Amino acid sequence: SQTIHQWPATLVQPVGSPLSLECTVEGTSNPNLYWYRQAAGRGLQLLFYSVGIGQISSEVPQNLSASRPQDRQFILSSKKLLLSDSGFYLCAWSLGQGQNTEAFFGQGTRLTVV
Amino acid sequence: AQKVTQAQTEISVVEKEDVTLDCVYETRDTTYYLFWYKQPPSGELVFLIRRNSFDEQNEISGRYSWNFQKSTSSFNFTITASQVVDSAVYFCALSSGSARQLTFGSGTQLTVLP
């Protein structure tokens, strides 16, 4: 069966520090991968999605970036965090090959920038 | 462009009451998929159901049922005989056309009181 792992679960970082959140998927090949952010107030905002290694699409311009160095690994990064980057970050995967299938989510990372 | 509207921000019911969560969507595509997710206090999004635009049959799964009506662009979710464990934020989502990512509504916070 497929599983998705996301870490760390919680993170407190000072303003201006770098960020690296990692997400890995097991049990499937060539998944679509996603990073979402959920700010206070519940709305889910798509940040990045990837349909393959090295292929990243950005939905919202900001100081965050994403990389996909391996088929089942998706990394969210920042060189310098802002206070506004605080939120709940969720990684997700769905079946590839252009199918519009459901996405399965990791347990999330709660980031607080202080 | 696609959009999902969940007009109910918060709903509070007493245990054993039935409750319906509303979802209205917008898309120009004729082929699309609709989803419901549950987000318990732990934060992880749990997939509940996927529906494609060609299947308007209502679905029932235990205490959960979904009413899909293309004529009103709605995909409502009913919980029968609600329980305290149903307390969570519920999200409706849409995926259509070539977009492989989900567009989420803003969520409905359901509180079931004992």
Side-chain angles (χ1 to χ4, degrees):
Chain A
S1 64
Q2 301 88 359
T3 56
I4 179 168
H5 303 280
Q6 184 183 344
W7 67 93
T10 59
L11 191 60
V12 179
Q13 292 284 97
V15 168
S17 64
L19 173 73
S20 181
L21 302 181
E22 190 164 342
C23 171
T24 60
V25 180
E26 297 176 1
T28 187
S29 296
N30 197 29
N32 296 328
L33 296 172
Y34 310 87
W35 279 110
Y36 284 87
R37 177 169 61 198
Q38 187 177 29
R42 296 199 301 268
L44 279 158
Q45 179 185 41
L46 177 66
L47 301 176
F48 302 95
Y49 72 93
S50 171
V51 300
I53 296 175
Q55 301 179 59
I56 309 294
S57 296
S58 174
E59 292 296 302
V60 182
Q62 56 210 322
N63 69 320
L64 299 172
S65 62
S67 61
R68 185 171 178 173
Q70 300 179 43
D71 181 43
R72 290 169 291 176
Q73 184 185 27
F74 205 26
I75 298 171
L76 182 69
S77 304
S78 173
K79 292 182 180 178
K80 287 186 178 181
L81 284 169
L82 307 173
L83 285 174
S84 58
D85 291 324
S86 293
F88 189 53
Y89 289 82
L90 287 155
C91 180
W93 74 273
S94 69
L95 288 173
Q97 293 83 50
Q99 300 177 63
N100 282 294
T101 66
E102 58 271 25
F104 297 95
F105 287 80
Q107 295 195 324
T109 296
R110 196 162 301 280
L111 171 66
T112 304
V113 182
V114 296
Chain B
Q2 50 191 40
K3 183 180 178 182
V4 177
T5 302
Q6 294 180 256
Q8 303 152 308
T9 305
E10 297 182 16
I11 298 177
S12 184
V13 299
V14 177
E15 206 170 18
K16 297 184 183 176
E17 286 184 357
D18 298 347
V19 57
T20 296
L21 309 181
D22 297 333
C23 173
V24 174
Y25 62 92
E26 295 176 30
T27 179
R28 294 178 181 172
D29 293 302
T30 54
T31 301
Y32 52 89
Y33 296 80
L34 295 162
F35 307 81
W36 274 96
Y37 285 84
K38 174 183 180 179
Q39 187 178 37
S42 61
E44 181 181 356
L45 267 78
V46 178
F47 165 73
L48 296 178
I49 190 172
R50 175 180 70 154
R51 213 81 182 123
N52 73 57
S53 53
F54 299 108
D55 183 359
E56 285 193 74
Q57 268 196 329
N58 292 329
E59 181 157 339
I60 298 175
S61 176
R63 295 185 297 108
Y64 295 171
S65 61
W66 291 270
N67 183 351
F68 176 30
Q69 292 196 343
K70 288 179 77 170
S71 60
T72 56
S73 297
S74 65
F75 186 44
N76 297 338
F77 173 30
T78 297
I79 301 175
T80 303
S82 60
Q83 300 175 1
V84 172
V85 294
D86 295 328
S87 297
V89 180
Y90 290 86
F91 290 95
C92 181
L94 166 70
S95 176
S96 66
S98 61
R100 298 189 180 96
Q101 65 271 28
L102 297 169
T103 297
F104 283 86
S106 56
T108 298
Q109 169 73 62
L110 173 65
T111 301
V112 181
L113 303 169

